[in-house]
């Protein structure tokens, strides 16, 4: 008997891993087999240790010792697939999902979601790290539920997840809420569920405290200051000047809006319709399950409470950061689909069975429609990801072409000595008179997808010359670029490619792009 159970578990795990690998290949292989470095990912060699420590991601440099500081796309893709596969296996075991179709759906939804696409497209240097943070977040919930006093070990795993990437804290929160709902639907004792909920809260709180303490210690030992700007966590916990009721409302509103209009292909058409139908059928399924069970009044109240706070839980980082959130941080939103799969597993015949417990035609059609709906969502994710990578590929070619011409203009200027003459690149290619929107790409938008060129801000020009063109150029500092941009003489210069766009101001060669 034990051998049969073990074999089934192994079979479940294999299906989970294979589904993640297959869907990841279909959705992301173009990215993993091409360079397409742009924007932040132009830092091909990751050496910004102090920056990461200041952001509170102090475990990232330690992880780099494992996979290397150079951002090889295929290697990072393989690592991310491995971490995601392990996370999916733990999720399926935790929720006791063993049927093949639900396994494939969960693997497909989680591996093709837009969060991974956006990260791969423009922040490939982070993609495997974020998936490792997800794995630790999921593992924390797994040990909390499966081990005796596992919440203590789980708090350490939460700390590690936060030290890799803070946003997957909400992945742990929403997954824990789903587990508690499952316990209630399994008719477990109210007191036991309530106690497990307290342990989950303690795990999350202690994990956060351990993380904060280690963060402060790391800052002290390294002499690095906490980052106070974009993506920084120095102001976490300080709600002075913030309206808490408004923040709570916006936390719910952002989560609901992203579910109704997710960032994918055909987001305001078939996807909105499918998501709405899945939400309605999930609610119907929960009602049916509750009516078929003998839950106590306290259990029903707790169930309603848990369901009510789910949108807040899966978006709690929005509340913690006081509204600072973008699409790289919202992987947790996809757990709503996992929850829907769980509910449909409990109650496949959402609209009822006949007296002989056989499927009616209506329930059979509903089940088929649900499965088709999920695969429509997966397909839309696949279409969107490949469109995004196509845009990035074209962006790469356009940037190489125009930066080669810019470099040629610089080198043809009398007196220029490569690597010695100070050069100030003023303006942004994306604002250049040469820039244009590509027909048909209007819907391929999102974080990191703005513009038509790989170089976006001053530092990326330096990185582009160093890592992509591999050409010596003595670029002046960002502060000096700003001072040149403010000069009337520079303002009056024509922009590239016009004659006069490149000239000396003092000893510095200034080229104006926009």
């Amino acid at each position: 008997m034990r051998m049969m159970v073990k074999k089934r578990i192994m079979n479940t795990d294999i299906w989970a891993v294979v589904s993640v690998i297959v869907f990841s290949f279909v959705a992301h292989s173009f990215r993993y087999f091409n360079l397409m470095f742009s924007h932040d990912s132009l830092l091909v060699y990751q050496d910004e240790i102090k920056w990461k420590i200041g952001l509170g991601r102090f475990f990232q440099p330690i992880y780099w010792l494992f996979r290397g500081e150079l951002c090889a796309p295929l290697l990072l893709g393989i690592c991310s697939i491995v971490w995601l596969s392990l996370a999916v296996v733990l999720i399926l075991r935790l929720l006791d999902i063993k049927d093949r179709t639900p396994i494939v759906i969960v693997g497909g939804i989680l591996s093709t979601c837009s969060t991974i696409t956006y990260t791969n497209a423009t922040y490939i240097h982070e993609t495997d790290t974020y998936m490792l943070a997800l794995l630790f977040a999921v593992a924390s919930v797994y040990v909390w539920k499966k081990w005796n006093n596992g919440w203590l070990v789980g708090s350490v795993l939460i700390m590690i997840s936060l030290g890799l990437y803070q946003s997957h804290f909400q992945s742990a929160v929403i997954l824990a809420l789903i587990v508690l709902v499952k316990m209630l639907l399994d008719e477990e004792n109210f007191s036991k569920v309530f106690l497990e909920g307290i342990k989950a809260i303690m795990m999350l709180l202690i994990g956060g405290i351990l993380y904060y303490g280690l963060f402060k210690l790391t800052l002290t030992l390294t002499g690095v200051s906490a980052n106070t700007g974009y993506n920084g966590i120095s102001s976490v916990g300080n709600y002075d000047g913030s309206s808490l009721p408004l923040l709570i409302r916006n936390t719910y509103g952002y989560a609901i809006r992203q579910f109704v209009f997710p960032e994918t292909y055909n987001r305001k058409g078939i996807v909105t319709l499918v998501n709405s139908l899945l939400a309605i059928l999930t609610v119907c399924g929960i009602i049916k399950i509750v009516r078929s069970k003998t839950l106590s009044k306290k259990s029903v109240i707790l169930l309603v409470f848990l369901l009510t706070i789910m949108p807040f839980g899966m978006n709690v980082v929005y509340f913690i950061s006081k509204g600072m959130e973008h699409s790289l941080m919202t992987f947790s939103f996809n757990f709503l689909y996992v929850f829907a799969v769980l509910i449909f597993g409990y109650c496949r015949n959402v609209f009822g069975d006949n007296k002989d417990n056989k499927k009616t035609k209506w329930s059979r059609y509903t089940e088929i429609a649900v499965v088709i709906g999920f695969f429509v969502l997966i397909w839309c994710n696949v279409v969107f990801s490949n469109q995004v990578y196509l845009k990035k590929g074209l962006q790469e070619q356009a940037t190489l072409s125009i930066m080669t011409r810019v470099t040629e203009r610089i080198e043809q200027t009398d007196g220029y000595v490569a690597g010695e003459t100070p050069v100030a690149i003023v303006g942004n290619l994306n604002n250049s008179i040469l820039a244009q929107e590509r027909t048909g790409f209007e819907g391929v938008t999102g974080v990191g997808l703005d513009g038509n060129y790989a170089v976006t801000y001053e530092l990326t020009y330096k990185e582009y010359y160093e890592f992509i063109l591999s050409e010596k150029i003595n670029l002046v500092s960002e502060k000096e670029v700003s001072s040149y941009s403010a000069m009337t003489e520079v303002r009056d210069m024509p922009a590239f490619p016009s004659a006069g766009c490149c000239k000396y101001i003092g000893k510095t060669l200034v080229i104006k792009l926009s």
Side-chain angles (χ1 to χ4, degrees):
M1 182 67 178
R2 290 178 60 185
M3 288 295 293
M4 290 178 62
V5 173
K6 184 176 181 181
K7 183 177 180 181
R8 180 166 185 179
I9 291 175
M10 289 297 294
N11 191 44
T12 299
D13 295 346
I14 291 172
W15 272 92
V17 172
V18 169
S19 67
V20 171
I21 292 174
V22 170
F23 282 114
S24 294
F25 180 84
V26 173
H28 310 301
S29 60
F30 184 82
R31 178 64 188 94
Y32 297 149
F33 285 98
N34 290 278
L35 297 178
M36 299 192 301
F37 293 110
S38 67
H39 192 52
D40 284 4
S41 64
L42 280 169
L43 190 63
V44 177
Y45 174 66
Q46 286 191 279
D47 60 349
E48 74 283 24
I49 295 177
K50 291 184 177 180
W51 170 253
K52 290 297 184 180
I53 292 174
L55 288 176
R57 304 174 192 176
F58 44 83
F59 280 130
Q60 286 195 13
I62 297 175
Y63 171 64
W64 297 344
L65 298 176
F66 164 74
R67 59 93 158 150
E69 293 87 357
L70 289 174
C71 302
L74 181 58
L75 173 63
L76 272 57
I78 291 172
C79 289
S80 66
I81 291 172
V82 170
W83 307 143
L84 178 59
S85 296
L86 293 175
V88 171
V89 166
L90 292 181
I91 291 169
L92 295 171
R93 286 189 176 191
L94 188 61
L95 301 180
D96 199 31
I97 298 175
K98 296 177 181 178
D99 293 336
R100 290 180 182 179
T101 300
I103 291 172
V104 172
I105 289 173
V106 171
I109 287 288
L110 296 185
S111 60
T112 64
C113 68
S114 60
T115 301
I116 295 179
T117 295
Y118 288 138
T119 309
N120 282 337
T122 314
Y123 311 90
I124 186 70
H125 55 294
E126 303 281 15
T127 188
D128 60 322
T129 311
Y130 290 0
M131 289 298 96
L132 184 59
L134 171 69
L135 175 59
F136 277 105
V138 170
S140 70
V141 180
Y142 184 86
V143 299
W144 154 69
K145 181 62 174 65
K146 296 292 186 178
W147 296 4
N148 290 329
N149 296 318
W151 62 278
L152 293 171
V153 178
S155 64
V156 176
L157 298 178
I158 286 290
M159 175 194 70
I160 297 173
S161 179
L162 287 167
L164 288 167
Y165 188 52
Q166 299 92 338
S167 295
H168 280 299
F169 179 79
Q170 61 192 25
S171 294
V173 173
I174 183 62
L175 185 55
L177 289 173
I178 292 174
V179 171
L180 291 172
V181 169
K182 182 180 184 300
M183 293 176 67
L184 289 171
L185 297 181
D186 287 338
E187 298 185 274
E188 294 196 30
N189 183 270
F190 170 83
S191 299
K192 179 181 179 181
V193 178
F194 186 81
L195 179 60
E196 288 300 317
I198 297 298
K199 289 180 180 179
I201 293 173
M202 292 297 295
M203 176 185 72
L204 296 169
L205 287 177
I206 293 175
I209 292 171
L210 290 174
Y211 163 73
Y212 185 76
L214 189 56
F215 174 50
K216 288 295 185 181
L217 177 62
T218 304
L219 293 179
T220 301
L221 293 177
T222 59
V224 175
S225 299
N227 187 286
T228 58
Y230 182 70
N231 274 340
I233 63 171
S234 58
S235 65
V236 169
N238 181 8
Y239 289 93
D240 292 343
S242 300
S243 171
L244 291 182
L246 179 62
L247 188 57
I248 292 173
R249 189 194 73 179
N250 289 341
T251 302
Y252 273 96
Y254 186 90
I256 294 172
R257 186 168 59 253
Q258 286 296 101
F259 179 77
V260 177
F261 304 113
E263 295 174 300
T264 186
Y265 175 69
N266 209 341
R267 66 188 72 183
K268 292 185 178 180
I270 187 65
V271 174
T272 296
L273 176 62
V274 170
N275 277 356
S276 300
L277 290 176
L278 288 178
I280 293 171
L281 293 176
T282 301
V283 172
C284 291
I286 294 171
I287 294 173
K288 176 183 177 179
I289 295 167
V290 172
R291 291 179 63 182
S292 66
K293 304 283 185 178
T294 55
L295 299 178
S296 67
K297 185 176 181 180
K298 291 188 296 184
S299 294
V300 173
I301 293 174
L302 180 58
L303 176 64
V304 172
F305 173 74
L306 293 174
L307 294 173
T308 302
I309 65 172
M310 268 190 178
F312 183 88
M314 73 179 190
N315 197 32
V316 67
V317 170
Y318 183 99
F319 179 82
I320 295 173
S321 65
K322 299 180 288 294
M324 204 301 290
E325 190 171 53
H326 48 71
S327 299
L328 304 185
M329 304 166 64
T330 57
F331 184 93
S332 55
F333 291 12
N334 295 282
F335 280 94
L336 284 184
Y337 296 117
V338 177
F339 179 62
V341 169
L342 176 69
I343 296 301
F344 295 139
Y346 270 103
C347 187
R348 286 184 169 181
N349 302 327
V350 178
F351 293 101
D353 300 338
N354 58 26
K355 295 180 180 179
D356 298 323
N357 202 33
K358 295 180 180 179
K359 295 180 182 179
T360 62
K361 286 184 178 181
W362 181 254
S363 61
R364 284 201 305 271
Y365 293 152
T366 302
E367 185 177 339
I368 293 172
V370 166
V371 173
I372 292 174
F374 276 118
F375 280 103
V376 166
L377 295 177
I378 293 172
W379 176 249
C380 287
N381 286 345
V382 169
V383 172
F384 183 69
S385 64
N386 280 276
Q387 289 181 342
V388 166
Y389 302 143
L390 174 60
K391 182 175 184 177
K392 282 294 177 180
L394 295 172
Q395 183 185 80
E396 178 184 38
Q397 295 297 317
T399 306
L400 179 60
S401 174
I402 197 169
M403 286 302 293
T404 300
R405 293 164 57 197
V406 168
T407 303
E408 184 180 22
R409 183 69 64 90
I410 292 172
E411 292 174 340
Q412 289 179 346
T413 304
D414 291 340
Y416 175 77
V417 179
E420 295 182 13
T421 304
V423 177
I425 299 178
V426 176
N428 191 309
L429 280 180
N430 288 305
N431 298 325
S432 167
I433 59 175
L434 298 176
Q436 68 169 9
E437 290 296 325
R438 296 181 178 89
T439 303
F441 284 80
E442 297 83 3
V444 188
T445 59
V447 59
L449 298 182
D450 294 334
N452 298 290
Y453 301 102
V455 285
T456 50
Y457 51 92
E458 282 79 4
L459 182 59
T460 59
Y461 289 104
K462 176 181 181 298
E463 295 167 350
Y464 194 84
Y465 274 107
E466 180 178 359
F467 295 114
I468 308 302
L469 295 181
S470 188
E471 182 163 332
K472 288 184 178 179
I473 185 169
N474 182 21
L475 294 175
V476 301
S477 68
E478 184 177 348
K479 184 177 180 180
E480 290 177 280
V481 171
S482 297
S483 66
Y484 282 112
S485 299
M487 293 182 180
T488 302
E489 185 177 358
V490 174
R491 289 181 179 177
D492 292 339
M493 288 172 59
F496 182 86
S498 300
C501 68
C502 185
K503 71 176 185 178
Y504 285 99
I505 296 182
K507 294 183 178 181
T508 300
L509 182 61
V510 177
I511 182 164
K512 184 177 179 180
L513 301 184
S514 65

